[in-house]
C-alpha cells in the first residue's frame, strides 16, 4: 500500500490513514461515499492532522480477503476521485457547455405554456442597478426637496 | 517503441497542435488523434519528426498532418468546428430512441437474460393500453424530429394487443406532431403467427431478433418449451429453428413487397457467452447462411440473470477480444470473396474514425442516457436507459426518473439523475479517458459503471467496457495501419449508411 494510505486490517475492519496534503477532502468524501452501501464508513482526524478512514462490516465479521478487497478498492476510488476532481476543475468550462447543450437540446425550446408559467418576479430579474431603465428615466433630474 | 518522455525537451509547441498519441499493438505505427477527431498513423521516424517539430514544408507528411489539423501553422478552426459539431449535433436534438417494455412475460428462458423476464402467468407485468398511450404522449413531445419507438420485453409478442394499440395510437397522434416516426420490435419470434405478421408488415415495423450462433448453442442458451406447458403453446421446433423459420419468411415477404433484399433483412443480435467464444467461425457461418448482413458481437452485461449465472457465462475480456479478432478477420476474408457481412462495433467505430458519427447511444460523449433515449417500463415507470430499467428489476431504482402518469416530458429529461449521467459520461471529465487517444470515438455507460463500481463515474482502467472498447479500436487501427487496399475498401463499405426509408411511417397531416 502507498505510504500515504496505511491500512490496518486487525479488529475486523479496514482502517486507512490518508494524508490530506495529497488528497483533497472532496475526493476523500467522494471515495468514502461509494462504500456506504457495502459497509459502515467512519472518518476521524488524528493528532497529525491526517484523516483516519475505517470501513467496518454492517453484518457480522468480514473475512480477511473482503477487508483487503475493500482496502484496495478504496485506494483506487480515492485516486480516481482525486484525479477527477482536478480534471473537473481544469475542464469546467467545456463540461458545463456540453452539459448545457445536451440538457437544453433534450428539453427543446420553451413552449408558450412554459413562458406563461414562468415566474418573472423572481430575484434575478429584479433590477436594483436600473440596467433595464431608460437613460431619461435613470438620470432625470430629481425634484429639489 | 516511441516514448514521448525522451522527446519532451524537443517538443516544439509552435509546430504541433493539440494531440494525443498511442502506439498501436502488433505494428510499428503510432496513432495520433486530436480533439475534434481527426487521426493519423505515423511511422516511428515520422512521429519523431512531428514531435520534435522538424517536418519540412511541402512534403507529403506535412500535407497529411496539415490536412488533419495537427499543425498550428495551418490549423483550420472552421474545419475543426465542423468536425466537432458533426459529433456533437446529436446533443441539440433530444431523445430519439424510446423503448416501450410492453410486458416482462417471456416464453423463452435464456441463461443470460438481462431483462429479468417474468413467467407466462405473470399477467400483472403487462403494460396497460392507457399506460402505453401516456408514454406515447410523452414520446411525441421530444424535440427530435426523428423518433423510434422500440417494443421490447420480456417478449413483446406476448402483449401484442398493446403493441397494436400503441402503433395505432402513435400514428394517430403523430398526424399532429409530424415526426419522422419508426417502429422496431425486438422479438424471439416464437409467438409469431400469420395475423401478427400481417399487421407488422402492413405497419412497416422493423424486426430484430436474437441468434446466438449455431442451433446447438442457441438452444442450449435459450430454452423454448416444446410440449404444451404453462404458456399453452406447444411446438416441435426449438428456439433456433423457430426464429430461423420466421427470419426467412419475413425476408421473403419484404422481397415480395418490392424492397431491396440487400437492405431489408431481419436484424439479429448475438449475446457473447463463454460457450460462444470457441465457435467464432460457426457463428459467422450461421449468420451468413441466414442472409444476415450484420453481426453485433455484444459482450454479456452484468444485468438480470447474467449476474447470477456469471460463473457460467462470463469470461476474461482478453478472451473476448481474441474471439472478436477471429470473427472480424474471418468476415474480412468472406467479404474479399464477395460475401457481404459486417460487424456492428467495427462499423460504428470506423464510421467515427472517418468522420461520420452514427450516434450510437453507448459510444458517444456524453452518453445517450436520458438525452438520447428513454425507457418506459410496463408499469409506467420511466428510466434514463434500458440498463437502468434492468437494474430496477434487480432492486436498484437509481435510474428511475418519473412516471408516465405524473411526470411531464421536461421533468423527465431535466431530472437530476439525467444531469448527473450527462456529466459523468462526458469523457473530457473522466480520468484516463481525458488523455486517451480514443477519446473522440469512445463512450461510457453510467448504469454499467453504477452496477460494477457503485458510482456513475466508474473507474475506467478497471472497466470491462473500457478494455473492450480499447481492444476493438486497437485491432481496427492495426488493420488500417497495414494499408491493405482490399481491407480499406471493405472498411469503407462497412461505413456506408443506406437509409431504410420503408420503415418510416407515412405522415398525413391532421
Amino acid at each position: 500500500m502507498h505510504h500515504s494510505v496505511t491500512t490496518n486490517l486487525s479488529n475486523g475492519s479496514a482502517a486507512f490513514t490518508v494524508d490530506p496534503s495529497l488528497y483533497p477532502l472532496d475526493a476523500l468524501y467522494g471515495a468514502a461515499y461509494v462504500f456506504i452501501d457495502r459497509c459502515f464508513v467512519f472518518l476521524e482526524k488524528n493528532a497529525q492532522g491526517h484523516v483516519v478512514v475505517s470501513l467496518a462490516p454492517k453484518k457480522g465479521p468480514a473475512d480477511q480477503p473482503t477487508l483487503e478487497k475493500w482496502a484496495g478498492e478504496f485506494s483506487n476510488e480515492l485516486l480516481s476521485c482525486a484525479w477527477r476532481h482536478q480534471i473537473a476543475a481544469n475542464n469546467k468550462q467545456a463540461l458545463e457547455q456540453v452539459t448545457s447543450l445536451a440538457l437544453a437540446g433534450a428539453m427543446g425550446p420553451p413552449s408558450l405554456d412554459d413562458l406563461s408559467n414562468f415566474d418573472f418576479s423572481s430575484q434575478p430579474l429584479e433590477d436594483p442597478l436600473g440596467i433595464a431603465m431608460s437613460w431619461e428615466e435613470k438620470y432625470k433630474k430629481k425634484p429639489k426637496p | 517503441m516511441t516514448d514521448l518522455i525522451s522527446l519532451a525537451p524537443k517538443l516544439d509547441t509552435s509546430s504541433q497542435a493539440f494531440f494525443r498519441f498511442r502506439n498501436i499493438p502488433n505494428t510499428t505505427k503510432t496513432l495520433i488523434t486530436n480533439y475534434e477527431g481527426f487521426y493519423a498513423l505515423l511511422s516511428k521516424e515520422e512521429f519523431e519528426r512531428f514531435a520534435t517539430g522538424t517536418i519540412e514544408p511541402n512534403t507529403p507528411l506535412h500535407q497529411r498532418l496539415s490536412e488533419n489539423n495537427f499543425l498550428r501553422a495551418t490549423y483550420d478552426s472552421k474545419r475543426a468546428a465542423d468536425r466537432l459539431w458533426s459529433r456533437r449535433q446529436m446533443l441539440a436534438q433530444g431523445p430519439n430512441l424510446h423503448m416501450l417494455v410492453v410486458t416482462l412475460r417471456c416464453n423463452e428462458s435464456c441463461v443470460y437474460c438481462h431483462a429479468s423476464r417474468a413467467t407466462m402467468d405473470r399477467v400483472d407485468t403487462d403494460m396497460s393500453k392507457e399506460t402505453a398511450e401516456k408514454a406515447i404522449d410523452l414520446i411525441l413531445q421530444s424535440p427530435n424530429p426523428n423518433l423510434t419507438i422500440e417494443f421490447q420485453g420480456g417478449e413483446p409478442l406476448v402483449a401484442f394487443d398493446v403493441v397494436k394499440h400503441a402503433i395505432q395510437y402513435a400514428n394517430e397522434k403523430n398526424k399532429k406532431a409530424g415526426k419522422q416516426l419508426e417502429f422496431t420490435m425486438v422479438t424471439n419470434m416464437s409467438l409469431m403467427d400469420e395475423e401478427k405478421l400481417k399487421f407488422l408488415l402492413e405497419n412497416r415495423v422493423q424486426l430484430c431478433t436474437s441468434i446466438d450462433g449455431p442451433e446447438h448453442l442457441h438452444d442450449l442458451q435459450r430454452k423454448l418449451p416444446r410440449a404444451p406447458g404453462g404458456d399453452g403453446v406447444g411446438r416441435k421446433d426449438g428456439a433456433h429453428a423457430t426464429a430461423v423459420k420466421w427470419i426467412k419468411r419475413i425476408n421473403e415477404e419484404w422481397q415480395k413487397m418490392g424492397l431491396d433484399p440487400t437492405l431489408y433483412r431481419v436484424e439479429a443480435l448475438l449475446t457473447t457467452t463463454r460457450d460462444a467464444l470457441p465457435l467464432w467461425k460457426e457463428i459467422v457461418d450461421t449468420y451468413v447462411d441466414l442472409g444476415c448482413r450484420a453481426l453485433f458481437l455484444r459482450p454479456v452485461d452484468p444485468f438480470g440473470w447474467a449476474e447470477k449465472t456469471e460463473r457460467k457465462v462470463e469470461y476474461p475480456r482478453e478472451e473476448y477480444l481474441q474471439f472478436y479478432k477471429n470473427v472480424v478477420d474471418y468476415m474480412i476474408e468472406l467479404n474479399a470473396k464477395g460475401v457481404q457481412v459486417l460487424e456492428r462495433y467495427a462499423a460504428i467505430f470506423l464510421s467515427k474514425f472517418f468522420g461520420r458519427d452514427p450516434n450510437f447511444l453507448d459510444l458517444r460523449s456524453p452518453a445517450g442516457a436520458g438525452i438520447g433515449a428513454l425507457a418506459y417500463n410496463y408499469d409506467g415507470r420511466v428510466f434514463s436507459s434500458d440498463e437502468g430499467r434492468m437494474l430496477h428489476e434487480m432492486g436498484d431504482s437509481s435510474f428511475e426518473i418519473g412516471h408516465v402518469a405524473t411526470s411531464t416530458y421536461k421533468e423527465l429529461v431535466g431530472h437530476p439523475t439525467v444531469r448527473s449521467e450527462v456529466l459523468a459520461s462526458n469523457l473530457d471529465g473522466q480520468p484516463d479517458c481525458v488523455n486517451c487517444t480514443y477519446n473522440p470515438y469512445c463512450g461510457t455507460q453510467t448504469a454499467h459503471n453504477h452496477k460494477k463500481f457503485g458510482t456513475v463515474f466508474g473507474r475506467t482502467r478497471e472497466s470491462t467496457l473500457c478494455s473492450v472498447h480499447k481492444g476493438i479500436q486497437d485491432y481496427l487501427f492495426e488493420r488500417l495501419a497495414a494499408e491493405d487496399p482490399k481491407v480499406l475498401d471493405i472498411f469503407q463499405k462497412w461505413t456506408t449508411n443506406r437509409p431504410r426509408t420503408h420503415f418510416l411511417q407515412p405522415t398525413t397531416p391532421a
Side-chain angles (χ1 to χ4, degrees):
Chain A
M1 194 66 61
H2 194 279
H3 66 272
S4 67
V5 181
T6 55
T7 310
N8 178 7
L9 299 180
S10 60
N11 304 323
S13 66
F16 305 82
T17 305
V18 179
D19 181 350
S21 68
L22 279 178
Y23 293 100
L25 200 55
D26 286 347
L28 186 58
Y29 288 156
Y33 195 80
V34 169
F35 282 77
I36 63 173
D37 59 343
R38 280 175 256 184
C39 50
F40 291 118
V41 182
F42 302 95
L43 301 180
E44 293 170 273
K45 212 167 188 178
N46 68 11
Q48 290 77 43
H50 292 185
V51 179
V52 180
V53 184
S54 301
L55 306 177
K58 289 187 173 179
K59 278 185 195 170
D63 57 18
Q64 189 76 2
T66 302
L67 293 174
E68 283 174 1
K69 187 166 181 277
W70 285 349
E73 285 201 24
F74 188 94
S75 298
N76 283 358
E77 188 61 38
L78 182 58
L79 178 59
S80 178
C81 285
W83 191 18
R84 197 168 64 244
H85 185 264
Q86 184 62 47
I87 293 165
N90 292 347
N91 291 353
K92 185 169 182 279
Q93 200 174 354
L95 294 170
E96 283 178 352
Q97 276 183 346
V98 170
T99 304
S100 301
L101 174 65
L103 292 172
M107 287 206 178
S111 65
L112 290 176
D113 286 344
D114 291 331
L115 291 173
S116 67
N117 293 332
F118 192 81
D119 181 7
F120 287 98
S121 67
S122 59
Q123 190 66 25
L125 288 174
E126 287 176 4
D127 190 18
L129 299 177
I131 292 167
M133 292 165 75
S134 71
W135 180 273
E136 290 81 1
E137 193 182 0
K138 192 171 181 179
Y139 294 104
K140 70 181 177 187
K141 285 185 179 172
K142 294 181 177 70
K144 288 179 181 171
Chain B
M1 297 300 278
T2 307
D3 177 8
L4 251 202
I5 292 172
S6 64
L7 298 170
K10 301 172 196 166
L11 271 175
D12 175 2
T13 51
S14 67
S15 298
Q16 308 93 1
F18 171 85
F19 71 99
R20 303 177 177 103
F21 83 107
R22 180 177 179 85
N23 295 315
I24 300 300
N26 308 317
T27 75
T28 56
K29 296 287 178 71
T30 298
L31 173 72
I32 56 172
T33 64
N34 53 23
Y35 188 73
E36 57 266 34
F38 291 110
Y39 78 86
L41 283 157
L42 306 178
S43 67
K44 188 177 181 218
E45 186 253 332
E46 287 172 331
F47 182 70
E48 285 184 2
R49 282 165 60 199
F50 171 62
T52 53
T54 53
I55 299 168
E56 290 178 7
N58 304 317
T59 59
L61 177 60
H62 188 281
Q63 188 181 346
R64 186 152 58 101
L65 292 172
S66 182
E67 282 171 357
N68 290 300
N69 263 2
F70 285 107
L71 301 177
R72 280 178 187 250
T74 55
Y75 194 83
D76 186 336
S77 303
K78 185 179 180 310
R79 197 186 313 144
D82 288 347
R83 175 83 179 218
L84 193 57
W85 183 241
S86 74
R87 286 203 285 123
R88 291 269 161 85
Q89 62 182 339
M90 77 282 188
L91 297 180
Q93 293 173 340
N96 153 263
L97 177 62
H98 299 265
M99 292 158 278
L100 244 62
V101 178
V102 291
T103 181
L104 281 188
R105 291 193 289 156
C106 184
N107 60 331
E108 279 190 4
S109 182
C110 304
V111 66
Y112 50 73
C113 179
H114 294 131
S116 299
R117 67 94 166 170
T119 50
M120 290 296 281
D121 57 345
R122 289 286 309 279
V123 290
D124 58 305
T125 68
D126 287 357
M127 182 179 270
S128 70
K129 289 179 182 175
E130 186 190 13
T131 298
E133 287 180 6
K134 285 180 176 163
I136 287 161
D137 290 341
L138 287 167
I139 291 167
L140 291 174
Q141 290 177 52
S142 168
N144 199 312
N146 305 298
L147 298 178
T148 298
I149 298 176
E150 181 176 286
F151 297 105
Q152 286 195 9
E155 167 50 48
L157 290 179
V158 170
F160 194 66
D161 55 337
V162 183
V163 173
K164 275 174 74 173
H165 183 76
I167 288 172
Q168 288 161 345
Y169 183 81
N171 272 328
E172 185 59 33
K173 289 285 174 177
N174 194 39
K175 287 177 184 171
K176 188 175 175 197
K179 304 286 185 182
Q180 296 266 26
L181 187 59
E182 288 183 56
F183 300 111
T184 68
M185 182 190 280
V186 183
T187 168
N188 63 33
M189 300 278 186
S190 62
L191 296 173
M192 187 69 80
D193 58 33
E194 292 303 323
E195 193 184 339
K196 289 173 188 154
L197 180 61
K198 185 168 180 286
F199 178 87
L200 294 167
L201 292 173
E202 282 175 359
N203 285 277
R204 301 167 183 252
V205 179
Q206 190 174 345
L207 293 161
C208 183
T209 192
S210 295
I211 291 290
D212 284 351
E215 186 166 9
H216 62 89
L217 176 63
H218 185 99
D219 287 349
L220 183 74
Q221 299 185 155
R222 304 178 65 92
K223 301 289 185 192
L224 180 64
R226 294 187 190 219
D231 64 352
V233 180
R235 59 183 57 76
K236 63 179 176 15
D237 294 328
H240 188 270
T242 306
V244 166
K245 180 182 108 180
W246 286 105
I247 289 172
K248 288 181 176 169
R249 175 70 197 285
I250 294 162
N251 287 342
E252 283 167 13
E253 290 295 328
W254 278 336
Q255 199 164 353
K256 278 187 213 165
M257 292 164 73
L259 299 172
D260 179 353
T262 65
L263 194 55
Y264 292 92
R265 321 282 304 180
V266 173
E267 291 269 332
L269 296 170
L270 178 94
T271 301
T272 310
T273 58
R274 187 190 303 166
D275 285 340
L277 299 181
L279 300 176
W280 53 270
K281 186 172 183 298
E282 289 88 339
I283 288 169
V284 177
D285 289 339
T286 301
Y287 272 70
V288 169
D289 290 346
L290 279 172
C292 294
R293 298 290 173 121
L295 176 49
F296 200 162
L297 299 178
R298 302 175 308 165
V300 74
D301 276 327
F303 305 114
W305 289 5
E307 188 188 39
K308 293 175 188 159
T309 56
E310 183 180 357
R311 291 176 66 183
K312 181 174 168 57
V313 299
E314 263 290 1
Y315 37 80
R317 288 302 181 260
E318 304 82 56
E319 290 179 23
Y320 167 84
L321 288 169
Q322 187 55 54
F323 163 80
Y324 184 88
K325 290 175 191 175
N326 290 341
V327 167
V328 181
D329 281 347
Y330 181 49
M331 281 184 170
I332 290 170
E333 266 179 49
L334 291 174
N335 275 263
K337 292 175 189 166
V339 178
Q340 289 183 31
V341 61
L342 63 83
E343 200 286 315
R344 282 267 176 239
Y345 262 133
I348 292 165
F349 278 125
L350 289 165
S351 297
K352 285 167 166 274
F353 302 164
F354 300 158
R356 300 187 286 270
D357 199 309
N359 189 21
F360 184 69
L361 296 169
D362 293 340
L363 283 172
R364 57 177 241 190
S365 169
I371 55 168
L374 291 166
Y376 307 81
N377 210 7
Y378 67 91
D379 56 3
R381 293 171 199 264
V382 186
F383 297 85
S384 55
S385 65
D386 196 33
E387 289 79 8
R389 183 195 64 79
M390 293 170 187
L391 282 177
H392 166 75
E393 296 300 338
M394 296 167 75
D396 177 352
S397 302
S398 300
F399 297 93
E400 184 179 335
I401 56 173
H403 194 281
V404 296
T406 53
S407 305
T408 66
Y409 170 77
K410 290 192 178 182
E411 284 169 352
L412 293 174
V413 296
H415 194 279
T417 300
V418 174
R419 276 186 264 154
S420 304
E421 291 185 84
V422 171
L423 268 170
S425 62
N426 188 328
L427 301 188
D428 290 335
Q430 274 278 6
D432 212 34
C433 303
V434 71
N435 294 326
C436 180
T437 316
Y438 297 137
N439 174 301
Y441 315 125
C442 211
T444 186
Q445 289 177 34
T446 44
H448 192 280
N449 290 338
H450 176 76
K451 179 75 186 92
K452 295 295 277 187
F453 301 101
T455 151
V456 284
F457 293 97
R459 293 195 296 274
T460 306
R461 278 275 161 171
E462 296 178 62
S463 165
T464 52
L465 283 182
C466 173
S467 56
V468 165
H469 294 167
K470 265 193 190 135
I472 291 175
Q473 290 177 89
D474 275 345
Y475 164 77
L476 293 171
F477 273 113
E478 181 186 328
R479 298 300 307 239
L480 288 170
E483 296 179 357
D484 180 337
K486 276 186 189 167
V487 175
L488 297 182
D489 184 49
I490 290 165
F491 279 0
Q492 282 291 346
K493 282 182 182 153
W494 287 8
T495 65
T496 305
N497 182 23
R498 296 162 67 201
R500 296 196 281 184
T501 52
H502 170 75
F503 293 128
L504 288 174
Q505 295 299 301
T507 48
T508 314

